[in-house]
Amino acid sequence: MQKGTFQWMKSINKTIVLNKIRMSGPISRAQIAKETNLTPPTVSSIVKELLDEQFVVESQQGQSSGGRKPTMLVLNHKGFYVLGVDVGPVKIRTVLTDLNGKVLFSHSAYLPAFVTNKSLLDMLKAEISNMLKNASTSIGQLLGIGIGMHGIVDHKHGISLFAPSLNLRNIPIKEELEHYFQVAVKVENDARAMALGETWFVSDQNESGTVVTINVGNGIGAGIVVDGKLLHGEHSLAGEIGHMSIDLGGSKCTCGNFGCLQTLASGTAIKERALKELTMGKKSCLNELADGDLDRIEASTIYQAARLGDPLSIDLLTNTGIYLGIGITNLIHLLNPTKIIISGGISNAKDFLLTAIKETVSARALTVQAKNTEIIASKLGEYSAAIGSVVLILADIFSVDLVEC
Ligand SMILES: [Zn+2]
């Protein structure tokens, strides 16, 4: 157990005061003391430190209940910024946000067809450097870089242990980037970063229960938040639902197994099924949308065609929803979550997917409550994992215990 030394207690109290100002500002010193149960002198001394460090600024005068009007405190959200990077199997997406998590700049770049540990790290350095250059000097100080990496991640040491889609192992992301940029770097699995983002920006951080955020893009993974804390499992494997076996005789997955959920319901799987149907001569407007070049068809093209009423694309998305529904039913039986959030590239096609997912869960889940588990699409959009990666740094500053579980 961690000893309650003076230094440590002081830092916990500082986090409490800083978070109070973030959540409730503009707020007076007296109100902070009242709402945190800290003594007024403790609050005053912590606020002085926070003012000196420029995390907090004094704003307008508040209402007085007689006597002098109190000075209100707010977060200096423009004084600092955080960088978040989502390293997916196909793209690297980067965002720069202020202290409130407001996205100031965003950029995405395709990975080349072949990457090595070194070339991936070089590309990360280049993407981050470009973003920092674009940001100019008008904004404040960089607090840290959060990386959401797909695959298995050792979040404590910031190492990508295995990225099956790129066939890379043991990439020392934290060590390399901290050395290069000289700021704090935190690395987490991309789906867990996404789940953190949902908890931080959309849900209530103090919400109890289990919330599962499923990242459906070129791969499938899930971030599990239990009573406000991320679940990692013994060896960082918790949430790897993309590699749940669904079809015993199914096709080979990037992980080496056969018939994983990912081989049936990921963006890549949808694209492969579309190409197979088109090669067999199925009529569809996908050909036109891709200007006759089948290689240009992506999951997003199929979504676009479905919106135009293309029967093949609607079928493909409905079938994907059924496969996801089967995986989600298994997940409900395993974890009995309060809420499931569908995120990642495929959440754009939510109009077509959610109905099929819900119908499948409703047909297969064990009880009435399980059948009615809340299943929604994320509102954070394409950059949800990058925005979630920003929270890796924000949580370190504002939260006592959000990240560990
Ligand atoms: Zn697999």
Side-chain angles (χ1 to χ4, degrees):
M1 208 176 114
Q2 191 159 10
K3 278 250 174 81
T5 61
F6 174 69
Q7 198 56 39
W8 183 69
M9 288 301 289
K10 198 174 159 189
S11 112
I12 294 276
N13 286 343
K14 195 165 164 182
T15 305
I16 290 169
V17 171
L18 186 59
N19 203 38
K20 186 78 215 153
I21 297 170
R22 179 179 80 90
M23 302 293 280
S24 312
I27 186 167
S28 68
R29 288 169 176 80
Q31 199 62 26
I32 294 171
K34 201 169 151 192
E35 291 183 21
T36 59
N37 289 326
L38 295 170
T39 64
T42 303
V43 170
S44 284
S45 121
I46 291 173
V47 165
K48 187 178 177 305
E49 270 181 49
L50 293 171
L51 284 167
D52 288 346
E53 291 161 357
Q54 296 180 354
F55 272 110
V56 164
V57 285
E58 289 180 331
S59 83
Q60 81 278 26
Q61 305 276 299
Q63 293 289 322
S64 164
S65 53
R68 198 158 60 93
K69 283 185 179 174
T71 307
M72 306 301 272
L73 300 158
V74 289
L75 198 64
N76 179 18
H77 63 90
K78 287 184 178 160
F80 298 87
Y81 58 102
V82 181
L83 219 140
V85 189
D86 163 19
V87 189
V90 175
K91 272 184 180 179
I92 292 182
R93 296 181 178 88
T94 312
V95 297
L96 190 90
T97 77
D98 67 15
L99 217 44
N100 281 338
K102 185 183 169 211
V103 176
L104 305 171
F105 296 94
S106 63
H107 183 256
S108 72
Y110 280 97
L111 284 162
F114 177 74
V115 282
T116 62
N117 284 11
K118 184 177 181 306
S119 70
L120 182 72
L121 287 167
D122 285 346
M123 190 169 169
L124 272 173
K125 287 174 192 167
E127 283 297 302
I128 294 167
S129 298
N130 283 338
M131 176 73 55
L132 293 175
K133 223 178 280 168
N134 282 340
S136 83
T137 50
S138 62
I139 51 174
Q141 191 186 331
L142 178 67
L143 278 178
I145 301 170
I147 309 276
M149 175 74 196
H150 72 279
I152 316 296
V153 170
D154 171 353
H155 70 286
K156 286 190 176 136
H157 301 101
I159 299 168
S160 161
L161 296 175
F162 182 34
S165 304
L166 302 175
N167 199 21
L168 299 180
R169 287 172 194 271
N170 302 318
I171 317 168
I173 299 177
K174 180 183 165 74
E175 190 189 337
E176 275 281 329
L177 297 187
E178 279 189 346
H179 179 70
Y180 191 81
F181 291 104
Q182 295 293 310
V183 287
V185 174
K186 296 215 161 233
V187 188
E188 183 55 277
N189 164 271
D190 57 350
R192 286 199 200 110
M194 241 176 214
L196 262 189
E198 292 290 340
T199 306
W200 192 265
F201 294 116
V202 185
S203 306
D204 177 358
Q205 283 159 51
N206 300 316
E207 193 171 291
S208 60
T210 302
V211 179
V212 183
T213 303
I214 306 178
N215 176 16
V216 191
N218 290 91
I220 298 178
I224 303 163
V225 176
V226 183
D227 295 337
K229 294 178 190 177
L230 267 183
L231 180 74
H232 288 95
E234 189 62 31
H235 302 111
S236 277
L237 279 173
E240 285 295 337
I241 63 159
H243 302 288
M244 177 190 276
S245 295
I246 297 285
D247 180 359
L248 286 183
S251 50
K252 195 169 185 184
C253 180
T254 50
C255 72
N257 271 332
F258 292 86
C260 296
L261 179 61
Q262 193 163 298
T263 64
L264 297 161
S266 65
T268 315
I270 303 172
K271 180 184 164 176
E272 279 169 8
R273 277 210 305 282
L275 294 184
K276 201 170 156 192
E277 296 283 348
L278 291 171
T279 321
M280 281 162 57
K282 198 92 176 222
K283 290 261 179 301
S284 164
C285 71
L286 282 170
N287 280 313
E288 287 165 40
L289 288 175
D291 289 333
D293 180 1
L294 295 190
D295 282 344
R296 289 175 60 177
I297 294 176
E298 298 291 337
S300 56
T301 328
I302 295 162
Y303 166 55
Q304 196 186 346
R307 287 187 68 176
L308 294 169
D310 179 49
L312 172 64
S313 299
I314 293 173
D315 270 1
L316 287 167
L317 291 175
T318 306
N319 280 332
T320 303
I322 293 170
Y323 288 130
L324 281 173
I326 291 169
I328 288 171
T329 308
N330 291 340
L331 192 74
I332 290 171
H333 292 159
L334 192 68
L335 294 171
N336 193 192
T338 326
K339 183 161 69 178
I340 292 171
I341 303 167
I342 312 289
S343 191
I346 213 169
S347 59
N348 289 330
K350 59 179 181 294
D351 312 345
F352 297 96
L353 292 173
L354 276 183
T355 309
I357 290 173
K358 285 179 182 174
E359 279 174 6
T360 309
V361 170
S362 179
R364 290 171 176 256
L366 280 175
T367 63
V368 174
Q369 291 101 321
K371 289 176 194 293
N372 290 321
T373 304
E374 187 184 359
I375 303 170
I376 57 168
S378 167
K379 294 189 183 82
L380 291 179
E382 190 198 338
Y383 286 90
S384 56
I387 293 168
S389 302
V390 165
V391 178
L392 296 171
I393 302 297
L394 294 181
D396 213 31
I397 298 161
F398 293 111
S399 170
V400 178
D401 61 0
L402 177 70
V403 181
E404 283 301 322
C405 187

